[in-house]
Amino acid sequence: MEPIILASSSPRRQELLKMLGIPFKVMLPEMEEIIPQEIMPEEAPAYLADQKVKAVLAAIPEGQSVTWILGADTLIILDGELMGKPEDSVQAADFLRKLSGKTHKAISSVVLYNHQTKKKEIRTKSTEVTFAHLSEKEITWYIETGEWHNAAGGYRLQGLAGCFVSHINGSWTGVIGLPIYELYDMLKTQGYSIIVE
């Protein structure tokens, strides 16, 4: 299998690619994650994932052989409000209070670019996540774990925040940051097989 360039520093995305047996190299996109005002909240993850791919593509040295570039982004939306990665523990706690007892959307977008064919494909998966009602004691406990760092919405479903999630409707891996069905289908469509014969 050809290695894929992953335009992300996310350990979760790296773990999922390893699980799928896909060889990859990490190349961090040099860009600011700024969402233009005209972009709708539901379209923001696709926009950011696409910008990551473009940033990495622009940084590849001339003459370097590259076929696949993969970008991904996940954002949390509650009542039309975008929740990215909290700036500090105070904002992370505020996010959890807002999410408490409510259903929100975790939207993940994946962009796969084939440098040889110049073909780019974008897929987006929206998942509904329902939180139980959280007490201040639970919120304080979770914030003190530090798990909120660098996590959209201030929580990690695959970690201790799983204690708070009562229901999921959609893609579990999408909430983590890389919807693997969508990724697998994109790769298969473009002739990249992860099944070793």
Side-chain angles (χ1 to χ4, degrees):
M1 280 186 278
E2 291 178 277
I4 288 175
I5 291 180
L6 175 62
S8 171
S9 61
S10 165
R12 267 60 56 191
R13 293 184 183 121
Q14 293 175 38
E15 286 166 10
L16 289 168
L17 288 180
K18 286 176 186 174
M19 181 189 76
L20 293 169
I22 297 173
F24 66 92
K25 297 174 184 176
V26 173
M27 191 168 172
L28 301 182
E30 292 191 21
M31 56 168 277
E32 288 188 54
E33 295 192 17
I34 298 172
I35 303 165
Q37 286 187 337
E38 66 270 17
I39 300 289
M40 297 294 290
E42 289 81 5
E43 298 168 353
Y47 172 81
L48 291 174
D50 190 39
Q51 292 301 304
K52 290 176 183 179
V53 168
K54 288 177 180 176
V56 164
L57 188 59
I60 293 172
E62 195 172 332
Q64 183 175 327
S65 177
V66 172
T67 303
W68 306 94
I69 303 174
L70 177 66
D73 199 82
T74 301
L75 290 172
I76 302 300
I77 300 177
L78 176 66
D79 299 329
E81 178 189 350
L82 273 176
M83 292 182 172
K85 299 167 185 173
E87 295 177 4
D88 52 34
S89 62
V90 174
Q91 188 175 43
D94 184 52
F95 281 177
L96 290 178
R97 289 186 192 99
K98 288 178 179 178
L99 296 172
S100 174
K102 294 182 180 177
T103 298
H104 64 271
K105 289 181 182 177
I107 300 182
S108 279
S109 292
V110 184
V111 175
L112 183 66
Y113 179 73
N114 184 327
H115 193 39
Q116 288 184 347
T117 64
K118 306 297 188 239
K119 181 179 179 182
K120 178 171 63 177
E121 191 173 355
I122 302 174
R123 300 271 187 103
T124 298
K125 182 66 179 179
S126 178
T127 299
E128 291 183 342
V129 181
T130 303
F131 264 54
H133 287 280
L134 304 181
S135 66
E136 280 299 313
K137 185 176 181 180
E138 288 171 317
I139 291 171
T140 300
W141 167 73
Y142 188 73
I143 296 303
E144 288 177 351
T145 69
E147 201 176 79
W148 58 270
H149 282 283
N150 210 31
Y155 75 90
R156 296 195 192 286
L157 177 65
Q158 73 277 24
L160 294 170
C163 295
F164 306 146
V165 175
S166 62
H167 187 72
I168 295 172
N169 182 18
S171 169
W172 185 82
T173 56
V175 181
I176 292 173
L178 188 65
I180 60 174
Y181 169 75
E182 282 70 20
L183 173 61
Y184 173 73
D185 197 49
M186 291 165 78
L187 289 168
K188 188 168 70 169
T189 299
Q190 295 203 37
Y192 186 109
S193 178
I194 68 170
I195 300 172
V196 181
E197 296 183 12

